[in-house]
């Protein structure tokens, strides 16, 4: 697949329970393309997570349009919406969102639901564990990991499905400076051909 463009056309958003004119996002126009990393900066409460949720198809616009290539988001069928969220986008959050009851390997395997070939699954998991430097940790539970290791599991879970877009919501917000740098370097390295959205309130 060649370059993919995501285009925002007068995008506005207001939460359902807000006043009629209380917009979190108002008339945003922008084009994003794969192969680049975009930093979305702004102070706490400025609407960064809201924007990321819209880009990831987790919420619906109040006004305006988002185009994936030539296709308008609002024309997606339920199946297309599901595929966009499950296969096209990989999500990485500040609080990792790992499942405590599952091991490292099981958390990562959750992303491969759509692959039924067990051998292929094992191969992909082994590869990604090497990429995020977690070989030997596959049977640990999240509570037995450091913050940086947890975020590496979340990165593996997001990137094992080979997404086109990687949406990161303050991915280093809970990490010290040195670990943050390692996580950002890793994200940069293994999301080369993707479109990366990096949300941060921090330079
Ligand atoms: P950021 O990620 O930049 O800190 P958010 O996108 O989380 O900002 O929030 C933007 C604004 O929308 C804030 O004023 C916040 O209080 C409000 N907000 C966030 N989530 C909801 C919600 N579920 N319902 C109503 N208002 C919300
Ligand atoms: Mg936020």
């Amino acid at each position: 697949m060649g370059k993919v463009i995501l285009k925002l056309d007068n995008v506005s958003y207001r939460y359902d329970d807000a006043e009629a004119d209380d917009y979190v996002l108002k008339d945003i126009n922008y084009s994003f393309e794969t192969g680049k990393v975009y930093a979305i900066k702004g102070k706490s409460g400025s609407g960064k997570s809201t924007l990321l949720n819209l880009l990831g198809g987790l919420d619906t616009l109040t006004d305006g349009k988002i185009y994936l290539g030539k296709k308008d988001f609002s024309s997606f069928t339920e199946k297309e919406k599901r595929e966009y969220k499950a296969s096209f986008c990989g999500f990485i959050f500040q609080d990792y969102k790992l499942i405590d009851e599952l091991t490292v390997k099981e958390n990562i395997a959750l992303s491969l639901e759509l692959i039924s070939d067990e051998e292929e699954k094992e191969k992909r998991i082994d590869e990604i564990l090497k990429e995020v430097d977690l070989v030997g940790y596959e049977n640990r539970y999240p509570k037995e990991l450091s913050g940086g290791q947890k975020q590496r599991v979340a990165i593996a879970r997001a990137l094992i499905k080979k997404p086109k877009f990687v949406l990161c919501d303050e991915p280093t917000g809970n990490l010290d400076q040195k670990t943050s740098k390692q996580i950002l370097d890793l994200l940069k390295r293994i999301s080369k051909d993707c479109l990366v959205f990096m949300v941060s309130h921090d330079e």
Side-chain angles (χ1 to χ4, degrees):
M1 190 162 32
K3 204 172 260 184
V4 182
I5 296 192
L6 190 74
K7 183 166 177 275
L8 275 60
D9 180 13
N10 273 315
V11 166
S12 296
Y13 186 82
R14 150 169 62 76
Y15 282 98
D16 283 339
D17 56 0
E19 302 285 331
D21 62 347
D22 189 9
Y23 282 87
V24 175
L25 306 170
K26 189 70 181 154
D27 297 332
I28 298 183
N29 292 287
Y30 206 84
S31 269
F32 302 96
E33 62 186 51
T34 46
K36 294 193 176 178
V37 179
Y38 294 90
I40 303 175
K41 294 193 298 179
K43 60 184 192 323
S44 177
S46 59
K48 304 181 298 296
S49 296
T50 305
L51 177 62
L52 216 60
N53 288 342
L54 294 174
L55 298 176
L58 303 177
D59 207 342
T60 315
L61 310 181
T62 309
D63 288 304
K65 291 195 184 302
I66 299 181
Y67 294 94
L68 179 63
K70 291 204 162 65
K71 209 165 159 49
D72 176 359
F73 260 31
S74 65
S75 73
F76 279 13
T77 61
E78 285 304 316
K79 182 161 174 277
E80 284 174 325
K81 264 188 231 168
R82 228 175 16 249
E83 278 172 4
Y84 179 71
K85 282 184 278 190
S87 310
F88 216 91
C89 295
F91 296 91
I92 297 164
F93 301 96
Q94 175 172 357
D95 59 357
Y96 326 119
K97 297 204 192 299
L98 301 178
I99 299 184
D100 292 336
E101 292 74 24
L102 300 181
T103 64
V104 165
K105 191 172 173 177
E106 289 163 345
N107 266 285
I108 296 171
L110 281 182
S111 275
L112 295 180
E113 264 178 324
L114 300 176
I115 297 178
S116 50
D117 181 344
E118 284 303 320
E119 222 169 289
E120 168 71 13
K121 246 188 205 175
E122 290 292 326
K123 191 170 142 260
R124 295 263 291 263
I125 293 174
D126 285 345
E127 277 170 11
I128 199 87
L129 282 168
K130 274 190 208 128
E131 282 204 273
V132 301
D133 197 19
L134 281 175
V135 175
Y137 290 86
E138 42 276 73
N139 295 320
R140 291 219 194 173
Y141 288 88
K143 70 170 190 305
E144 300 165 337
L145 301 174
S146 70
Q149 289 168 337
K150 280 188 227 181
Q151 197 56 300
R152 270 152 42 206
V153 176
I155 290 171
R157 182 186 56 188
L159 292 179
I160 197 170
K161 56 186 182 180
K162 304 187 192 302
K164 275 284 149 196
F165 298 167
V166 184
L167 299 99
C168 312
D169 198 347
E170 313 224 20
T172 62
N174 288 350
L175 304 174
D176 61 53
Q177 209 169 10
K178 182 159 161 261
T179 313
S180 296
K181 181 159 187 322
Q182 289 166 352
I183 290 294
L184 293 178
D185 286 345
L186 174 67
L187 270 170
K188 211 159 143 190
R189 184 158 53 79
I190 71 174
S191 55
K192 246 195 223 99
D193 306 317
C194 302
L195 196 180
V196 181
F197 297 104
M198 182 71 65
V199 159
S200 179
H201 64 275
D202 185 357
E203 295 296 323

